[in-house]
């Protein structure tokens, strides 16, 4: 598994622990988007596996949305030893 994939997994867990949601659930609508205007399913995320950067599509690593669904923060995952 690449360093960026490892970083994304860590960030996923931290975001979820902080109350951000990748998918709609009983607590509310998803407030993280991985690609603007594209709704991903859990099966599609699982199919990408741990090697996210091997995908041919230009995904935003994390787009955090406010309570109205508007973009609030863009996060780009990088390995700890990579200069942002």
């Amino acid at each position: 598994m690449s360093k960026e994939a490892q970083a994304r997994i860590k960030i996923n867990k931290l975001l979820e622990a902080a109350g951000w949601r990748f998918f709609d659930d009983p607590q509310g609508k998803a407030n993280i988007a991985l690609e603007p205007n594209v709704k991903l399913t859990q099966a599609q995320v699982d199919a990408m596996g741990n090697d996210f950067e091997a995908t041919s599509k230009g995904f935003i690593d994390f787009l955090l949305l406010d309570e109205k669904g508007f973009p609030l923060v863009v996060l780009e995952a990088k390995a700890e030893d990579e200069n942002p």
Side-chain angles (χ1 to χ4, degrees), residues 3-84:
K3 288 182 180 183
E4 184 170 353
Q6 290 174 352
R8 288 183 192 218
I9 290 168
K10 286 180 188 177
I11 294 168
N12 286 0
K13 290 177 183 178
L14 290 168
L15 287 169
E16 289 174 335
W20 294 95
R21 293 175 298 282
F22 286 93
F23 303 99
D24 296 348
D25 66 24
Q27 283 71 47
K29 291 187 161 234
N31 55 9
I32 299 173
L34 298 177
E35 178 78 2
N37 302 316
V38 175
K39 185 73 170 170
L40 294 176
T41 65
Q42 185 66 52
Q44 290 170 317
V45 173
D46 292 343
M48 282 190 255
N50 292 328
D51 197 18
F52 297 106
E53 67 272 7
T55 64
S56 61
K57 306 234 187 248
F59 285 99
I60 291 172
D61 290 335
F62 303 94
L63 178 62
L64 306 184
L65 309 172
D66 69 12
E67 64 279 348
K68 294 181 181 180
F70 292 108
L72 186 63
V73 176
V74 174
L75 296 178
E76 176 67 22
K78 295 294 178 201
E80 292 179 29
D81 61 346
E82 191 170 328
N83 186 344

